[in-house]
Amino acid sequence: MVRKLPKADVVVIGVGWAGGIIASELTKKGLNVVGLERGKERKTEDYFMVHDELRYALRYDLMQDLSKETITFRSNERVRALPMRQYGSFLIGDGLGGAGVHWNGQTFRFLPYDFEIRSKTIERYGKNKIPAGMTLHDWGITYDELEPYYDKFEKTCGISGEENPLGGKRSDKYPTPPMKKSPSIKMFEEATKNMKLHPYMMPSANLSQSYTNPDGIARAACQYCAYCERFGCEYGAKADPVVTVIPVAKKTGKFEIRTHSNVRRILHKGGKATGVLYTDTTTGEEIEQPADIVVLTSYVFNNIRLLLMSNIGKPYNPASGTGVIGKNYAYQVIKGNAIGYFNDKQFNTYAGAGALGMVIDDYNGDNFDHKDVNFIHGGMVSLSQTGLRPIQNNPVPQGTAAWGKEFKETSLKYANRYLSVGAQGSSMPFKHHYLDLDPTYKDAFGDPLIRITFDFEEQDKNLAVFLANKCAGILKEMGADHIDSLKELGPYDITTYQSTHNTGGVIMGADPGTSAVNNYLQMWDMDNLFVVGASAFSHNSGYNPTGTVGAFAYRAAEGILKYRDKGGQVV
C-alpha cells in the first residue's frame, strides 16, 4: 500500500547542481522544498586522505550501480539495443550532489552563436549549409538574456578565470583570478600566440584562492593534488553542490533531503502535476509525495525516462519527426586530439587540477569562416593539466609494441616527456538520434530502461579530423619531436570513455510544437512542472555543459517563483 505524505510547496527530483540551486533559491524565498535523491548522503569528510585511483577512477565508487539500472544502446534502428553492463563512454553519477561531486570543474559559457545557431548559420551561409536530417534549432533565448544567470552561477562557485577574447560579453569579471600556469601551459600559450591565436586560462571551479561567495559560503584554495575527475574534493576547493548551494538551502530550515528515494513516476491529473511516487530503497516502501510544483532535476537520461514513463509530453517519433520527448539527443566529439612526445624535455604532469589548463576558441562555434569546410560549429582546443594518475596514464608513440621489452623501455622513456593537446567538439542533433523507452530491458523495479539511438555522422567525422590537425599543429609549434593525432573518426564506440556530456531530449524553444520546455524550462504541456538540466539543450556546444546547466537552473528558479505568484506560462 502506498503511504501518502503531507503536501509540500515544491518537490525536487535529484539533488545535484540543478536540484541544489533550485532548493537554495526557493527556500530563501520561504517555500518548503522536499529534495528526493536516490543515492546516499555525501559530505566533504568522506574524502579525507582518500586519493584512491583504483576505488574511484576504475571501480567507479561514486557512480550508479549498472546492475540495478543502466541504459541500452544501438547505433541505428536496424539493430537491437543492448544494455551497457560496464562503464565506458560516459559515467552516470549517484548520490547527493550528483555528478557535481566528481566533475573536473571546467566551467564555460556557451557562445552567443549557440543560442541562435539555426538563424545565425542560415544568415551567414544559407540554408544549404545545414545537412539533410540535422534538426538544428534556436533555443528561444539569447546569450545576453542568459548572461546574468551565468554571472550568478560563477559567483556562487567562485570560478577562477580570465576573459575569453572570443566569447560573449561579460557583465563582470570572474570572482577569483585564474589558476597558476605550469611550464607546459606556458609553452602552449607561447606557441598559440606565435600562431596568432587567442589563448586564455580555462575557467575553473577549482579555487585559485580562498573565497567567500554571496551566500556567505567560505571555501579554501585548490592544492593541485590532481584528484578531481571521478573524485570528491577533500578540501572543498572544487565547487560542488554539497559545499555551495545545499548548505544554504538546509540553513533556511525549509529544505528536507530524503536520500535513498528513487522516484518512479510523476503523478498528474487534469493537466497538472500533483506530486511524485517514489520507492524508499532501504525499506522497499512506496511513498507518494504531493506538491504544488514538481521540478525534475535529475540527470539527462532520467529526466527523459521519467517523463516517458509518466506519460507526460508527446514522445518523439523519428519517422515522422513529430513529438518532442526524447528529441535531439546529442553528445560530444572528443576524438580530435594529438599527443606530442619530447626527447629532451620533462614535465611534472602528475600534479594538476581538474580545470587547470589553457584554451583557444579560434576554432569554436562560428569564430572562423565555415564556407570551405564540410561541417558547422567547431570546438575548443586546450592543453589541460588535470593530473596524470599512474594507473590510467601510460601512452607510447603509435607503432610501439603493446607489451614486452620495447613497451616497457618506451613507456619509461616517455612517462614524463609527453603532452596532449585536445579538442572538445560540438555535437549537432539529427532526426535519427533520439532517446526512448527500451521495449525489452527493465531495471530492478521492473521499469523500462532508457534507450539511446546514436552514431557519429559525417559532420562529426569531418569536425574531428579538422580539430585533430589543429591540435597537431600547435604541438609542432611547441617543439614536439614526435606527434600522433587522429586521422579518421570511426563509428561511435560506447565501450571507451569519452565524456559525460550527454544532452537533449527535453529541449527548450519558442514553439511548443518543436520543443518541450520554454526558456524558463517550464513544460509547455504542464505549467507546474519544470525540467532542469542539459536535457534542455537542443544541441551540444564545443564546451563542458555544467556552466550552462547552472545558469539555466538559476533562471528556472526565477521562473518557478514567477509561476508561484501568477500561475500559467511564465514569460
Side-chain angles (χ1 to χ4, degrees):
M1 183 174 177
V2 176
R3 178 160 63 97
K4 188 172 183 177
L5 300 176
K7 183 187 285 188
D9 293 329
V10 180
V11 62
V12 171
I13 307 168
V15 189
W17 267 125
I21 289 169
I22 297 294
S24 173
E25 294 301 291
L26 299 190
T27 55
K28 284 190 288 186
K29 296 297 184 180
L31 277 68
N32 291 303
V33 179
V34 172
L36 300 176
E37 169 56 52
R38 64 182 177 184
K40 63 184 180 180
E41 174 77 20
R42 287 209 185 112
K43 54 189 183 300
T44 305
E45 291 81 0
D46 295 341
Y47 313 110
F48 282 176
M49 300 307 292
V50 190
H51 290 180
D52 190 334
E53 184 182 5
L54 187 63
R55 175 181 173 184
Y56 290 106
L58 290 115
R59 293 180 177 166
Y60 309 112
D61 190 79
L62 298 180
M63 311 305 167
Q64 179 179 299
D65 184 347
L66 297 182
S67 70
K68 295 178 180 178
E69 182 186 327
T70 183
I71 58 92
T72 69
F73 167 77
R74 60 184 182 176
S75 57
N76 61 71
E77 293 177 304
R78 297 186 299 275
V79 298
R80 179 182 175 183
L82 294 172
M84 184 172 71
R85 298 294 192 190
Q86 62 184 26
Y87 278 112
S89 181
F90 46 81
L91 307 175
I92 307 170
D94 187 54
L96 192 66
V101 170
H102 59 78
W103 70 316
N104 259 330
Q106 300 173 10
T107 314
F108 293 89
R109 297 180 173 200
F110 283 11
L111 296 166
Y113 167 74
D114 282 302
F115 302 103
E116 302 170 271
I117 187 169
R118 179 176 174 82
S119 299
K120 294 294 186 184
T121 299
I122 293 172
E123 179 184 319
R124 187 171 181 183
Y125 305 106
K127 286 186 178 181
N128 291 337
K129 186 65 176 176
I130 301 173
M134 184 184 286
T135 51
L136 214 55
H137 181 87
D138 287 353
W139 291 34
I141 194 171
T142 65
Y143 170 86
D144 289 341
E145 291 173 305
L146 192 60
E147 197 281 335
Y149 307 98
Y150 273 125
D151 183 68
K152 190 165 187 176
F153 182 65
E154 289 163 357
K155 286 174 178 172
T156 294
C157 297
I159 301 301
S160 302
E162 60 185 359
E163 185 167 359
N164 174 1
L166 298 178
K169 292 181 179 178
R170 301 179 57 86
S171 57
D172 200 358
K173 63 182 181 180
Y174 284 104
T176 52
M179 301 189 80
K180 297 178 180 178
K181 295 178 185 177
S182 68
S184 59
I185 289 173
K186 291 177 182 177
M187 285 173 60
F188 178 89
E189 180 178 34
E190 182 181 359
T192 51
K193 284 184 175 179
N194 288 343
M195 299 169 74
K196 309 301 181 186
L197 303 173
H198 300 83
Y200 65 100
M201 285 297 288
M202 183 178 289
S204 168
N206 321 131
L207 283 177
S208 63
Q209 63 184 32
S210 297
Y211 175 72
T212 300
N213 78 6
D215 287 318
I217 299 293
R219 294 167 33 234
C222 176
Q223 304 297 305
Y224 297 88
C225 76
Y227 284 79
C228 284
E229 184 182 14
R230 309 188 187 188
F231 300 83
C233 180
E234 65 187 285
Y235 306 105
K238 179 175 68 174
D240 73 43
V242 176
V243 299
T244 54
V245 289
I246 292 175
V248 174
K250 291 171 72 174
K251 188 177 180 180
T252 66
K254 293 182 175 295
F255 185 39
E256 180 186 356
I257 300 172
R258 298 182 199 148
T259 53
H260 304 286
S261 300
N262 195 323
V263 177
R264 296 177 57 202
R265 297 294 186 277
I266 300 169
L267 305 175
H268 54 98
K269 185 177 181 180
K272 295 280 189 180
T274 59
V276 301
L277 177 70
Y278 72 93
T279 298
D280 182 331
T281 56
T282 62
T283 65
E285 183 181 20
E286 290 193 340
I287 302 171
E288 180 182 342
Q289 176 60 66
D292 291 326
I293 299 170
V294 176
V295 191
L296 184 45
T297 54
S298 55
Y299 194 63
V300 168
F301 299 131
N302 201 50
N303 279 357
I304 298 150
R305 182 171 179 249
L306 272 175
L307 292 175
L308 292 172
M309 290 196 302
S310 305
N311 296 310
I312 298 174
K314 187 176 181 181
Y316 176 64
N317 182 339
S320 63
T322 58
V324 291
I325 308 301
K327 178 182 178 181
N328 278 33
Y329 172 72
Y331 187 47
Q332 200 98 65
V333 179
I334 301 288
K335 298 292 189 177
N337 59 6
I339 299 176
Y341 297 88
F342 296 79
N343 293 330
D344 300 318
K345 290 179 181 169
Q346 294 190 45
F347 312 97
N348 180 16
T349 49
Y350 289 90
L356 174 62
M358 185 163 276
V359 181
I360 60 165
D361 276 327
D362 297 77
Y363 310 114
N364 205 354
D366 202 33
N367 287 340
F368 62 102
D369 191 343
H370 287 67
K371 179 170 60 71
D372 296 323
V373 297
N374 46 5
F375 58 86
I376 64 170
H377 211 296
M380 74 171 200
V381 172
S382 66
L383 184 146
S384 58
Q385 191 164 330
T386 58
L388 300 181
R389 298 179 294 272
I391 299 175
Q392 289 188 298
N393 297 283
N394 192 28
V396 292
Q398 291 177 6
T400 303
W403 60 281
K405 181 179 180 182
E406 180 190 0
F407 170 75
K408 292 177 182 178
E409 289 177 346
T410 307
S411 63
L412 286 172
K413 175 182 177 180
Y414 287 116
N416 298 300
R417 289 187 173 93
Y418 74 92
L419 297 173
S420 176
V421 172
Q424 183 160 242
S426 59
S427 181
M428 298 298 104
F430 283 83
K431 184 178 180 180
H432 48 283
H433 294 171
Y434 64 101
L435 298 162
D436 66 351
L437 295 178
D438 192 285
T440 304
Y441 295 100
K442 303 182 186 303
D443 68 6
F445 296 106
D447 291 327
L449 299 179
I450 200 73
R451 177 172 65 179
I452 302 173
T453 304
F454 176 81
D455 203 354
F456 288 138
E457 304 292 327
E458 286 303 308
Q459 151 82 23
D460 306 304
K461 295 174 182 178
N462 296 330
L463 172 60
V465 173
F466 173 86
L467 291 173
N469 289 337
K470 300 300 182 184
C471 293
I474 293 169
L475 280 167
K476 182 179 180 181
E477 182 68 25
M478 290 171 66
D481 296 291
H482 176 85
I483 300 169
D484 290 333
S485 65
L486 179 83
K487 304 302 180 187
E488 182 180 12
L489 179 66
Y492 171 65
D493 176 12
I494 200 168
T495 66
T496 57
Y497 186 75
Q498 292 163 64
S499 82
T500 307
H501 301 166
N502 314 86
T503 66
V506 195
I507 63 173
M508 63 185 295
D511 181 359
T514 57
S515 61
V517 295
N518 65 18
N519 62 30
Y520 284 97
L521 307 192
Q522 178 186 31
M523 288 284 294
W524 291 113
D525 294 342
M526 195 168 288
D527 62 13
N528 68 332
L529 174 60
F530 290 73
V531 186
V532 187
S535 53
F537 297 6
S538 66
H539 71 275
N540 200 10
S541 182
Y543 290 123
N544 303 63
T546 307
T548 302
V549 170
F552 273 120
Y554 275 111
R555 182 170 172 84
E558 182 181 296
I560 293 165
L561 292 169
K562 287 183 177 181
Y563 172 80
R564 176 76 173 179
D565 292 340
K566 297 182 179 180
Q569 286 291 318
V570 181
V571 293

